[in-house]
Amino acid sequence: MQEFFELARKLLAEQLDVEIDSILMETTFEALEADSIDIVEMIMGLEDIYHVEFPEEELEDFPTVGSLITALYQYLQEVGK
Amino acid sequence: MGGDHAPAEVVAGALAWAADNADNHLLLVGKQEVIEAEIASIKEAGGFACSPEQVVIVNANEVIGCDESPATALRRKKDASIVVASALVKEGKADAVISCGSTGAQMAAAIFILGRMEGIDRPPIIASLPGEGGHRTLLVDVGANVDCKPAQLLQFALLGSVYARSVLGIASPRIGLLNNGSEETKGNALAQQVYSLLKEQEDINFIGNVEGRDLFSPIADIVVCDGFTGNILLKALEGLGLFFASSIMKEIDKPPSILESFDYSRVGGAPLLGVNGVSIVCHGSSHREAVANGLRIAEECFRNGIVARQAEELAKCEL
């Protein structure tokens, strides 16, 4: 999980041009000024790395980076990646 | 096949454009049976003037509404007309996409399907305003990005500059920042941060702040603003044009032709900049004339090679 989180926040930090340390599990996307395009871009980046397609979720249901990453990680576990 | 008056006005406008442009082909993307019914109705009324060989219907069963989160909807609705139409451009099966539907969905499709040019976060929409002595001021962004970061407005300035150089042939386009005063210290936090960035950027000819009243003077070639401000400004100008036209019509038979410049249906549409394909955003309220003019703009953008020209010029900029 930690490795997955590190990867996700690295992608997000590059996209948003922010310090990687400013992204924690409890950080909200709102605080990062990340919109749905930023979030989908991060998800697509993870999909490319893991060769998987995450299920379509309502992004509004995941206010924090941690809540989204946890849900994506759980899906990875389910599909055995 | 989106828009307030789709499919009837969109299909009618597209067929009218095809009739006037016999060398071009038209791909109508949307629910096949709905489009077929519209075409049948136009034929019945004797309004089908183009060659049947010019028109191809591409079925797409889903629609992304203006009330949906664009990026999420784009992933969920892979058979949405804007997704299918943008993919046709990406695959080289179409030369341009135009839409009167959700601007957010069109921008998301441009980002995720057509792809962005190097160094561009968000594609803006560029619009041309009439001015004194035939001068035109380009306003960027007029609605694709309601919330902008300073770096994105800098990118809009670069894209506007690249567009003016490569497509309009202006050697050193003058860039202004839309603000509520001409002094450097004017404006909200975003405007002040963008001012600093623009001042430091070597690839552009930044002339400082431009006030709303100066938009119609030949002071600047490009005026940069966030999409929220730009869209409100553009629609206020449309409303002002309509108000003047209706007021003047009470006193004279025909309003001055300059007022037509404020009529969105004459303009048709405006291109998204910084993406790897021609994507023309049309007004959501477009009727047939606006749709036909949007297709005209799409053809002009394609024939002018705006994508390749932008990419070539952008590669020279420091981003």
Side-chain angles (χ1 to χ4, degrees), chain B residues 120-164:
Chain B
I120 301 302
D121 293 331
R122 296 284 186 274
I125 306 171
I126 191 163
S128 174
L129 303 178
E132 284 174 34
H135 175 76
R136 307 227 30 128
T137 302
L138 299 172
L139 189 64
V140 198
D141 170 27
V142 292
N145 305 276
V146 288
D147 292 307
C148 292
K149 296 170 187 168
Q152 289 167 351
L153 268 87
L154 170 63
Q155 292 167 18
F156 298 170
L158 281 165
L159 284 169
S161 186
V162 160
Y163 182 84

Side-chain angles (χ1 to χ4, degrees), chain B residues 66-218:
Chain B
C66 290
D67 55 343
E68 295 182 77
S69 166
T72 321
L74 200 77
R75 278 171 63 81
R76 200 170 43 233
K77 295 183 169 178
K78 295 191 168 51
D79 199 25
S81 54
I82 189 64
V83 174
V84 174
S86 300
L88 288 170
V89 175
K90 174 73 177 174
E91 292 159 9
K93 294 175 182 165
D95 296 322
V97 52
I98 89 160
S99 173
C100 310
S102 159
T103 302
Q106 189 168 358
M107 185 182 77
I111 289 175
F112 294 121
I113 299 171
L114 299 180
R116 286 164 294 192
M117 291 176 185
E118 188 71 29
I120 301 302
D121 293 331
R122 296 284 186 274
I125 306 171
I126 191 163
S128 174
L129 303 178
E132 284 174 34
H135 175 76
R136 307 227 30 128
T137 302
L138 299 172
L139 189 64
V140 198
D141 170 27
V142 292
N145 305 276
V146 288
D147 292 307
C148 292
K149 296 170 187 168
Q152 289 167 351
L153 268 87
L154 170 63
Q155 292 167 18
F156 298 170
L158 281 165
L159 284 169
S161 186
V162 160
Y163 182 84
R165 278 203 307 265
S166 60
V167 179
L168 306 179
I170 302 170
S172 181
R174 296 158 300 163
I175 310 272
L177 174 65
L178 187 63
N179 210 330
N180 62 343
S182 58
E183 300 86 353
E184 185 171 345
T185 51
K186 285 283 186 178
N188 58 11
L190 177 67
Q192 289 179 21
Q193 288 175 60
V194 175
Y195 191 104
S196 301
L197 289 176
L198 291 173
K199 202 169 70 167
E200 289 164 14
Q201 183 70 30
E202 289 178 358
D203 298 306
I204 57 170
N205 177 14
F206 180 52
I207 60 160
N209 287 327
V210 167
E211 294 185 77
R213 65 182 174 205
D214 296 325
L215 285 170
F216 308 99
S217 310

Side-chain angles (χ1 to χ4, degrees), chain B residues 32 126 154 260 282:
Chain B
Q32 182 152 359
I126 191 163
L154 170 63
E260 290 176 358
C282 297

